[in-house]
Amino acid sequence: MGPDLHAFPRVDLGHWPTPLDQAPRLGAALGGIRLLLKRDDVGGLGAGGNKLRKLEFLLGAALAERADSVITFGALQTNHGRQTAAACAKLGLRCDLVLTRGVPRGGADYEGSGNIALDHLYGATTHVCDDAAETAAVYQRLVAEAEAEGRTVATLPVGGSTAVGVLGYLSATVELFTQLDGLGITPDALLVPVGSAGTAAGVALAVDLLGRDVRVEGACVSHTADESRGDITRLATEAAALLGAPAPALRTLLVDDRAVGPGYGVPTEGTWDALRLFARTEGATLDPVYTGKAAACLVDRVDTGEIKAGETVVFLHTGGLPGLFAYQPETGVEARSGLGGPVPPGGSGSRTATRPSR
Ligand SMILES: *Cc1c(COP(=O)(O)O)cnc(C)c1O
């Protein structure tokens, strides 16, 4: 099934296929939808996550070009940077992470725990910058240093979202449909978080190329729906061109920014409520930057009836667990005002107990 990707160099960074789990208690709490979790949070290397899928192709291309050093970018708590650091360690590549303060958050946990602690553990060098100008200057300096030392640099953009990176999620989505077909399940919707948009672009392109009649619901975590739709369309079109395929129509793509809140890296009450709901019904661990917001979007789409009882939804769990520890003390907060303990079995009525704000 799916397009032939053999022409593209690829390194092996994960345990594929990742599990596809049924989430019946969560589905019941969401008014009786059938929910499945595609567990791309357990990719195998570097604490897992969706960037491994892209890095298999991005670093495959880098090695084919004889790169010995990798430079990439992100926020201080970038999951992409952490997975790149781990992949570089496995492949014996030097890794420099140029990190930009953009999220309005500080403190020892945000600046030193979570992903950034793992970056250092995997042997990457981090360069923390205050703004875009400093980020550009540091990047120029690192490239010049590499040149002076005779090293060959591969530069990866934020989130690894290039046409080549998109191939990772094209491949992942073919994998998902192979699993669904094997179980005899026809989904109504695939719900995917959208940051730098490469993940959603790969999913949407795969649905298009495979001709599947399923909604691709992109839940924005940082940009507006219009900006994100533009990013997804551009990346999917560029990836299709790599395959010699025409620009995809993306007929079933739907982009929803209702759960972004104040901005990237700033969780809302709805984010934490959705995160606790996943945790307390299924023991599933989301993160406050990406999957928690995608989950908040899912919850609201169910509440409004945009996703209907009886529908089958696959929630793409893209990872992010280390970032949870950067968001202390909110992460460890006990349920407010005695509400929000364990969700008892069965019934949507119990869900409101975890969501007193609504
Ligand atoms: C990067 C990331 C995303 C978003 O993927 P994009 O391809 O950047 O849109 C979602 N979830 C997690 C945990 C991530 O780290």
Side-chain angles (χ1 to χ4, degrees), residues 131-145:
D131 53 30
E134 187 183 356
T135 301
V138 167
Y139 174 65
Q140 295 304 332
R141 176 171 59 72
L142 290 171
V143 169
E145 281 172 13

Side-chain angles (χ1 to χ4, degrees), residues 49-51 54 78-80 82-83 158-161 169 192-201 221 264 287 289-291 316-321:
N50 64 333
K51 304 311 181 305
K54 305 179 187 183
T78 168
N79 297 304
H80 162 69
R82 178 249 311 163
Q83 288 162 84
V158 170
S161 283
Y169 264 90
V192 186
V194 184
S196 64
T199 301
V221 306
Y264 176 77
D287 78 290
V289 179
Y290 294 97
T291 54
L316 182 59
H317 190 340
T318 45
L321 168 62

Side-chain angles (χ1 to χ4, degrees), residues 59-307:
L59 294 179
L63 289 181
E65 285 155 22
R66 304 195 171 283
D68 50 26
S69 305
V70 171
I71 304 177
T72 195
F73 308 91
L76 265 62
Q77 284 295 332
T78 168
N79 297 304
H80 162 69
R82 178 249 311 163
Q83 288 162 84
T84 304
C88 286
K90 181 178 165 75
L91 299 171
L93 300 168
R94 171 174 163 152
C95 181
D96 286 283
L97 303 178
V98 187
L99 309 179
T100 312
R101 289 182 203 280
V103 174
R105 200 175 174 100
D109 289 315
Y110 191 77
E111 301 197 358
S113 180
N115 283 298
I116 211 160
L118 291 173
D119 296 342
H120 296 150
L121 184 65
Y122 299 135
T125 304
T126 57
H127 310 268
V128 176
C129 302
D130 281 331
D131 53 30
E134 187 183 356
T135 301
V138 167
Y139 174 65
Q140 295 304 332
R141 176 171 59 72
L142 290 171
V143 169
E145 281 172 13
E147 203 167 311
E149 292 167 16
R151 290 186 285 112
T152 303
V153 172
T155 299
L156 310 183
V158 170
S161 283
T162 67
V164 168
V166 167
L167 299 179
Y169 264 90
L170 179 56
S171 165
T173 308
V174 172
E175 172 188 303
L176 171 62
F177 278 111
T178 303
Q179 289 173 310
L180 288 166
D181 291 352
L183 295 165
I185 294 174
T186 306
D188 296 291
L190 312 180
L191 197 133
V192 186
V194 184
S196 64
T199 301
V203 173
L205 177 59
V207 165
D208 198 284
L209 291 175
L210 296 173
R212 298 287 177 135
D213 186 21
V214 55
R215 302 193 301 272
V216 176
E217 304 195 347
C220 304
V221 306
S222 48
H223 305 294
T224 66
D226 281 350
E227 289 164 344
S228 294
R229 177 177 284 278
D231 291 342
I232 294 167
T233 304
R234 174 179 51 79
L235 285 164
T237 301
E238 288 172 9
L242 286 182
L243 300 169
L250 308 182
R251 195 174 44 78
T252 64
L253 175 66
L254 189 156
V255 185
D256 185 335
D257 60 7
R258 78 184 65 183
V260 174
Y264 176 77
V266 185
T268 65
E269 275 304 309
T271 314
W272 289 112
D273 287 344
L275 197 137
R276 290 188 196 105
L277 180 67
F278 271 59
R280 291 170 191 190
T281 52
E282 298 290 346
T285 321
L286 305 182
D287 78 290
V289 179
Y290 294 97
T291 54
K293 284 188 178 175
C297 183
L298 169 68
V299 168
D300 207 70
R301 292 182 64 75
V302 167
D303 283 354
T304 57
E306 288 158 284
I307 294 174

Side-chain angles (χ1 to χ4, degrees), residues 25 28-29 280 342-348 350:
R25 275 172 45 76
R280 291 170 191 190
V343 178
S348 55
S350 57

